[in-house]
Amino acid sequence: MTVDIALAGLTIDTARRNLTAHLQGAAIETPELDARLMIGAVTRLDLTGMIANAERRLTAFEAARLKDFANRRIGGEPVARLLGRKEFWGLDFQLSPATLVPRADTETVVETALDILRTAGDTARLLRIADAGTGSGAILLALLHELPNAFGIGTDISFTALQTARANAARLGLAARATFAASNYLAALSGPFDLIVSNPPYIRSADITTLAAEVRDHDPHRALDGGADGLEAYRVIARQAHDRLTPGGALVVEVGDRQSADVERIMAAAGLVRLRPPKADLSGILRVVTASKLPS
């Protein structure tokens, strides 16, 4: 779907209002926010700058780029993909075609992991963290940002994703405490780790085609496809984590809707014990499952 929206020569304020109206007419869920983000990207102005320069007129280049953004957005491409970046945990992450767009729901993994460490009084000590299937590095780097004495390693089977994660670590000033390795989850790691986190693929293979177009058509399928029952990755990670956690160490994973009980059973079968009840995200979906390795 192509929309003919005239933007050349308009002021930033008028362009924002016109773009918002077009996005709203195309049933885009957050038209005002999306319009602001796209205009900010093409003009290189933050919100304060856009307000201060409300009467500045778009250049021909800016108008053409914004029109391209608008048509791609109306065609179903997420704003984060248009901009090549996404905020997560208050940090700015670059994306690539090989990485998922970090979602607010996934911040529940970070919150839960930090709360477990705080409860144990471990936030100030040296910690070793592993992130299985790191993608953009969002979970691992958010944790390292909060834990100044922690060191972490993120794994992925995609070399492009690993390059993206390394670039994010460098941009966030965390490269000295973060390393990344090609691995099928934890297979290439020896451990021991005090904390293992993961947001693995958990969509059933048959359900991929039913996902929203923004996810189905733009997120990497191998980061979504969890096999026939959506649980394949958890079986692998649970077995690997049992052998690589320190005694008393924690495993914290994101799960899909109505998967928490199944994932807890998988953890138990691998010799791990429930650490906390499943944690709900802001939508009320049980989003995070935790387990621990019993002390010897």
Coordinates of all heavy atoms in Angstrom, one line a residue, residues 5-12 42-43 56-69:
I5 N 1.6 11.2 0.2 CA 1.6 12.3 1.3 C 2.6 13.4 0.9 O 3.8 13.1 0.7 CB 1.9 11.7 2.7 CG1 1.9 12.8 3.7 CG2 3.1 10.8 2.7 CD1 2.0 12.3 5.1
A6 N 2.1 14.6 0.7 CA 2.9 15.7 0.3 C 3.6 16.3 1.6 O 2.9 16.7 2.5 CB 2.1 16.8 -0.3
L7 N 4.9 16.3 1.6 CA 5.7 16.7 2.8 C 6.7 17.8 2.4 O 7.1 18.5 3.3 CB 6.4 15.5 3.4 CG 5.5 14.4 4.0 CD1 6.3 13.2 4.3 CD2 4.8 14.9 5.3
A8 N 7.1 17.8 1.2 CA 8.2 18.8 0.8 C 7.7 20.2 1.1 O 6.6 20.6 0.7 CB 8.5 18.6 -0.7
G9 N 8.6 21.0 1.8 CA 8.4 22.4 2.1 C 7.5 22.6 3.3 O 7.3 23.8 3.7
L10 N 7.0 21.6 3.9 CA 6.2 21.7 5.1 C 7.0 22.0 6.3 O 8.2 21.6 6.4 CB 5.3 20.5 5.4 CG 4.2 20.1 4.4 CD1 3.5 18.9 4.9 CD2 3.3 21.3 4.1
T11 N 6.5 22.7 7.3 CA 7.2 22.9 8.5 C 7.2 21.6 9.3 O 6.4 20.7 9.0 CB 6.5 24.0 9.4 OG1 5.2 23.5 9.8 CG2 6.4 25.3 8.7
I12 N 8.1 21.5 10.2 CA 8.2 20.3 11.0 C 6.9 20.0 11.7 O 6.4 18.9 11.8 CB 9.4 20.3 12.0 CG1 10.7 20.2 11.2 CG2 9.3 19.3 13.1 CD1 12.0 20.4 12.1
V42 N 14.7 11.7 10.6 CA 15.1 12.3 9.4 C 15.7 13.7 9.6 O 16.5 14.2 8.8 CB 13.9 12.4 8.4 CG1 13.4 11.0 8.1 CG2 12.8 13.3 8.8
T43 N 15.2 14.4 10.7 CA 15.7 15.7 11.0 C 16.9 15.7 12.0 O 17.5 16.7 12.2 CB 14.6 16.6 11.5 OG1 14.1 16.1 12.7 CG2 13.5 16.8 10.5
R56 N 10.6 25.3 11.2 CA 11.6 25.0 10.2 C 11.0 24.1 9.1 O 10.3 23.2 9.5 CB 12.9 24.3 10.8 CG 13.9 24.0 9.7 CD 15.2 23.5 10.2 NE 15.3 22.1 10.6 CZ 15.3 21.1 9.8 NH1 15.1 21.2 8.5 NH2 15.4 19.9 10.3
R57 N 11.3 24.4 7.9 CA 10.7 23.6 6.8 C 11.6 22.4 6.5 O 12.9 22.5 6.5 CB 10.5 24.5 5.5 CG 9.5 25.6 5.8 CD 9.1 26.3 4.6 NE 8.2 27.4 4.9 CZ 6.9 27.2 5.0 NH1 6.3 26.0 4.8 NH2 6.1 28.2 5.4
L58 N 11.0 21.3 6.1 CA 11.7 20.1 5.7 C 12.5 20.4 4.4 O 12.0 21.0 3.5 CB 10.8 18.9 5.5 CG 10.0 18.4 6.8 CD1 9.1 17.3 6.3 CD2 11.0 17.9 7.8
T59 N 13.7 19.9 4.4 CA 14.4 19.9 3.1 C 13.8 18.8 2.1 O 13.0 17.9 2.6 CB 15.9 19.6 3.3 OG1 16.0 18.2 3.7 CG2 16.5 20.5 4.3
A60 N 14.1 18.9 0.9 CA 13.6 18.0 -0.1 C 14.1 16.5 0.3 O 13.3 15.6 0.2 CB 14.1 18.3 -1.5
F61 N 15.3 16.4 0.7 CA 15.9 15.1 1.1 C 15.1 14.6 2.3 O 14.7 13.4 2.4 CB 17.4 15.2 1.5 CG 17.9 14.0 2.0 CD1 18.3 12.9 1.2 CD2 18.2 13.8 3.4 CE1 18.8 11.7 1.7 CE2 18.7 12.6 3.9 CZ 19.0 11.6 3.0
E62 N 14.9 15.4 3.3 CA 14.2 15.0 4.5 C 12.7 14.6 4.2 O 12.2 13.5 4.7 CB 14.1 16.1 5.6 CG 15.5 16.4 6.2 CD 15.5 17.7 7.0 OE1 14.6 18.5 6.8 OE2 16.4 17.8 7.9
A63 N 12.1 15.4 3.3 CA 10.7 15.0 2.9 C 10.6 13.7 2.2 O 9.7 12.9 2.4 CB 10.1 16.1 2.1
A64 N 11.6 13.4 1.3 CA 11.6 12.2 0.5 C 11.8 11.0 1.5 O 11.2 9.9 1.3 CB 12.7 12.3 -0.6
R65 N 12.8 11.2 2.4 CA 13.1 10.1 3.3 C 11.9 9.8 4.2 O 11.5 8.7 4.5 CB 14.3 10.4 4.1 CG 14.9 9.3 4.9 CD 16.2 9.6 5.6 NE 16.7 8.5 6.4 CZ 17.2 8.6 7.6 NH1 17.4 9.8 8.1 NH2 17.7 7.6 8.2
L66 N 11.2 10.9 4.7 CA 10.1 10.7 5.6 C 8.9 10.1 4.8 O 8.2 9.2 5.4 CB 9.7 12.1 6.1 CG 8.5 12.1 7.1 CD1 8.9 11.2 8.4 CD2 8.3 13.5 7.6
K67 N 8.7 10.4 3.6 CA 7.7 9.8 2.8 C 7.9 8.3 2.6 O 7.0 7.4 2.7 CB 7.6 10.4 1.4 CG 6.4 9.9 0.6 CD 6.3 10.6 -0.8 CE 5.2 10.0 -1.6 NZ 5.0 10.8 -2.9
D68 N 9.2 7.9 2.4 CA 9.6 6.5 2.3 C 9.3 5.8 3.7 O 8.7 4.7 3.7 CB 11.0 6.4 2.0 CG 11.5 4.9 2.0 OD1 11.0 4.1 1.2 OD2 12.4 4.6 2.8
F69 N 9.7 6.4 4.8 CA 9.4 5.9 6.1 C 7.9 5.7 6.3 O 7.4 4.6 6.8 CB 9.9 6.8 7.2 CG 11.3 6.6 7.5 CD1 12.1 5.7 6.9 CD2 11.9 7.4 8.5 CE1 13.5 5.6 7.2 CE2 13.2 7.3 8.9 CZ 14.0 6.3 8.2

